[in-house]
Amino acid sequence: MKTVTRSTCCYCGVGCGVLIESEDGRITGVEGDPDHPANFGRLCTKGRTLAQTVRSTSGRALRPEIRTTRTAARESADWDSALDLVAQRFADVIERHGPDAVAFYVSGQLLTEDYYVFNKLAKGLVRTNNIDTNSRLCMSSAVTGYKMAFGADGPPTCYDDLEHARTVLFAGSNMAYAHPVLFRRLEEAKARDPSVRWIVVDPRRTDMAAMADLHLAIEPGTDVALFNGMLHHLIWEGLVDRDYVNAHTSGFDALKALVREYTPRLAAEICGVDERDVIRAAEWFGQSPAALSLYCMGLNQSSHGTQKNLALINLHLAARQIGRPGAGPFSLTGQPNAMGGREVGGMATMLAAHRDIDNPAHRAELEALWGVSGLSARPGLPAVEMFDAVRRGEIKALWIACTNPVHSLPDIAGVREALEKAEFVVVQEAFTQTDTVPYADVLLPASSWGEKAGTATNSERRISRVRAAVDAPGEAKADWWIANEVARRLARHLHADEDLFGFATPQAVFDEHRLLTVGRDLDIGGLSYERLESDGPQQWPFVAGASTGAARRYENGVFATGDGRARFNLTPYRPVAEPVDARYPFRLVTGRLRDQWHGMSRTGRVGALFAHAPEPALSMNRADAARRGIREGMLVSVASRRGALVLPVQLTDDVASGTVFAPMHWNGQFLNSGGINETTIPAVDPYSKQPELKHAAVSVQAIDLPWRLSAARRCDDALALQAAVQPLMAERRYASLRIETADDGCEVLVVTAADAVPDAAWIERLHDALGLARDLNLLEYRDARRGHQKRVVWRDALVHGYLLSGDANGAAGLLARLRAGEPWQGPRHAVFVDGPRVQRERIVCNCKQVTETQIVEAIASGADLAALKSVLGCGSVCGSCVPEIRRLYDKAPSAAL
Ligand SMILES: Nc1nc2c(c(=O)[nH]1)N[C@H]1C(S)=C(S)[C@@H](COP(=O)(O)OP(=O)(O)OC[C@H]3O[C@@H](n4cnc5c(=O)[nH]c(N)nc54)[C@H](O)[C@@H]3O)O[C@H]1N2
Ligand SMILES: Nc1nc2c(c(=O)[nH]1)N[C@H]1C(S)=C(S)[C@@H](COP(=O)(O)OP(=O)(O)OC[C@H]3O[C@@H](n4cnc5c(=O)[nH]c(N)nc54)[C@H](O)[C@@H]3O)O[C@H]1N2
Ligand code: SF4
Ligand SMILES: [Mo]
């Protein structure tokens, strides 16, 4: 029977509502929920392909696993043994070394209920504040910024402001890729009213920057100088709202004295932009009837991310661009429930419901609410310091849930060392193919999207229900349940009250969480599962008796500080943590691609999501590359003081000379190295402790790896094949793999590799791992003199797989045959010579699988955007590709949209 379940997308902080279709316990499709106020039925490429990510249980964690010694393999265990073991080992460490010798590293992708139980377990039961989350890598500078300026965390704005804004300042946000469904709303607002102005502050010329009225391509890390320069102009041109500043803020005069020296000229010099553009940005922002800033990791992931946030908020306060429709500083949250994590206080530096660790009254309130005593007054260790403490042996037992630190933390060599050093590591995961899972002494299988229930809070403070459409596979369990079960056992060891963890359902957890918020700025005393059921998703604050939540905050100019005034903060400009020098002359910027999500444990399961960017690539300015003899597609070594990796180069004009860009997504499951965080720097912001993931200094050198390999095989289950091939990749200087979907729906696993010389034994192992050995119908061609080999495998009349070693010429043609899945008519030996020579083209439109060439040709033939949509279909479904299509118009000089 077909059922439809209303739930929420598990990817980004937009928090789109989804309708999950299922049949016989399997998810068969996903559509946007037309009634959800975040997306009104829309989904982006990632949301639309969610059903494909759960098509198979290959690569899912299905049973608890335990290993008895570090060198032993993990073996399946029953839940009781696994839970007992985790409780006993944690109790043992706490007894021997105290509560701060254990730590929890959790995730903004947990649901609020999961998060709540983990936080209560750490802070209420173990009495350590050593619980931090990947949100430290993501939102913590935004949190400290909001708290220092307004006295409380959380954005003052809402999604409707996207439609009311007349000037939109995108600062370090690539919304077209990272928050696509919200970006659609901005595109529409601008189409309705072209006088709406867009300013993009980003060192890279992103698709959005190309569409903007003004692109400030600043030197990475110089935002504070830019914002100070803009404020200088506002002050000296009389664009400050003096009445507002006098009535509702404090600290203005000291800030004025500081920004006196930041003339637009100085700011322009520091940022490497035109002085007139700094002035223009200031005027568009200051004079606008409503200026909205949208900011994300370009501000937060910095060794002075808090200052970047504050300098931007200073501008909003000075020009009174806050507290009314269309105006305000809007921090876009990255993860689906980064906000929920903040609400339950699930970080090392905060307590539940926006309470503070160092505030004795707050601790006392919480002790009373939980019925415990002795909450720790010692702040816990934030992510980077937590792993340092593990490495130093101070933290002995670590429990990681719903995050993959061996991929996502900076300087992963240090993270690996820490996990090797730890006495006991628990990994709670939904998927087994991640770079952190191998370090688990205990693997706890988690149920995941489509299988679990609870709530999540999106970027505009809106709480949505997440619902289960199907049962979890194998023995996987909900995250809150796992934490709760260990907590009950641990309570017995620690002679604490087991009833602290008497939760039987996520609803029971939510009800307790709600109680803790009453009287706080995020009061949700009026919300319940029933309310969310009958009235749909709601924004906080939502006090008891209210009929709706609050769309905007601080509309009356009263802030959450003691005296009700917002604070101007002093924001002197400081350079990035690691200067470039002769050895490491490039500034490495990292970030996201449109169709991949973080470590790809979910998006990397879908062939269609590789089509937009099939290989990891280092984007490099053409002139920089030419000076070093580097050409398109060449392999280069990217190295920093911490580590190195090999990547293919993509030449571009979108990054300035001296800057290179790498996507954050690839890791040891898809690459022979751990990915770009082999090189990044663990320097952190002094206030927020957020690491500077975006600005390491690196060198880029061409390397000569003349031996090339390309191999691929059609299969029913590319995920199983990936598991067999992945362990081999680390042995090569370069290797990458990806999944493609053939025209007949069959999957194809594609492997490429390069090295100085061939390794005959490795080639045979790869041949076996790919399962080519089982396909008996093999045609082999060897060129002994040149050491080249070509193998093609048939199944019936179909070209089923190939392996080319030596040079990979001809791979494109063979791959095209694999994809086409058509019977081979000619003589077999002709398969090597007769292949179509075309490379598969980049797919720009994921929904309709439209290639770049198709679009360029249609543009050249005079089609406008509407014609393009109706003839090719591109851009007509989810719209994620429209910004890129617009750029293709820009590149065709005579064409018109
Ligand atoms: N497709 C996709 N979407 C996602 C995610 C994903 O993995 N994939 N992840 C989600 C998560 S958790 C997050 S946090 C968000 C992140 O969303 P974004 O922050 O928008 O994405 P990023 O690509 O990390 O970085 C944004 C931009 O910051 C720019 N930048 C780098 N350095 C600087 C600087 O010094 N100043 C300024 N002004 N800009 C700079 C980069 O060039 C980049 O274009 O995306 C969310 N959405
Ligand atoms: N260089 C560089 N590094 C970065 C960034 C960058 O811009 N540049 N961005 C940083 C940012 S903003 C972020 S948010 C982090 C993200 O970094 P991570 O948190 O490491 O990213 P994910 O790959 O999303 O990890 C989530 C893990 O949880 C698993 N999982 C999925 N669903 C469930 C579930 O329901 N339960 C459990 N228990 N597990 C589940 C997934 O398989 C996955 O392995 O990366 C950071 N690292
Ligand atoms: S914008 Fe895309 S990834 Fe983000 S919540 Fe919506 S559908 Fe999911
Ligand atoms: Mo993030």
Side-chain angles (χ1 to χ4, degrees), residues 20 51 84 101 106 121 138 152 171 179 324 332 355 413 594 640 684 736 885-886:
I20 309 175
D84 287 343
V106 301
L121 160 56
C138 183
H179 300 90
R324 54 167 207 279
L332 298 168
R355 291 181 176 86
R594 193 189 74 189
S640 76
V684 299
S736 79
I885 296 177
R886 283 183 189 277

Side-chain angles (χ1 to χ4, degrees), residues 818-836:
L818 253 61
R819 281 187 209 116
E822 283 165 7
W824 171 251
Q825 309 286 359
R828 294 209 155 177
H829 63 264
V831 79
F832 293 124
V833 284
D834 237 355

Side-chain angles (χ1 to χ4, degrees), residues 134-135 137-139 296-297 301 333-335 338 592 597-598:
N134 57 3
S135 293
L137 318 178
C138 183
M139 303 317 310
C296 208
M297 292 308 120
Q301 286 173 342
T333 46
Q335 297 182 89
R592 284 159 176 78
W597 177 262
H598 297 166

Side-chain angles (χ1 to χ4, degrees), residues 174 178 201-202 204 221 223 297 592-594 596 694-695:
N174 188 11
V201 183
D202 195 309
R204 293 190 304 144
D223 305 74
M297 292 308 120
R592 284 159 176 78
L593 299 183
R594 193 189 74 189
Q596 293 294 352
K694 289 217 177 327
H695 302 141

Side-chain angles (χ1 to χ4, degrees), residues 60-68 73-79 81-82 85-86 424-427 432 437 440-445 475:
R60 283 295 303 267
L62 297 173
R63 263 167 291 283
E65 290 175 7
I66 293 175
R67 69 177 173 200
T68 38
R74 275 192 315 269
E75 286 171 15
S76 293
D78 59 48
W79 267 110
S81 317
L85 179 66
V86 174
F424 186 59
V425 178
V426 180
V427 178
T432 49
V437 166
D441 295 306
V442 176
L443 176 67
L444 301 174
E475 292 166 31

Side-chain angles (χ1 to χ4, degrees), residues 149-150 247-250 557-567:
F150 304 146
H248 299 294
T249 71
S250 66
V558 179
F559 291 85
T561 50
D563 59 7
R565 286 170 175 269
R567 304 273 184 272

Side-chain angles (χ1 to χ4, degrees), residues 9-16 18 39 42-48 50 178-182 597:
C9 175
C10 61
Y11 292 118
C12 84
V14 176
C16 295
V18 294
N39 57 319
R42 288 197 161 129
L43 295 176
C44 74
T45 46
K46 296 180 296 301
R48 285 177 55 80
L50 266 171
H179 300 90
V181 166
L182 289 186
W597 177 262

Side-chain angles (χ1 to χ4, degrees), residues 53-62 430-432 472-474 605 717 719:
T53 69
V54 291
R55 70 190 183 285
S56 143
T57 54
S58 281
R60 283 295 303 267
L62 297 173
F431 298 94
T432 49
R605 296 163 70 85
D717 187 352
L719 298 164

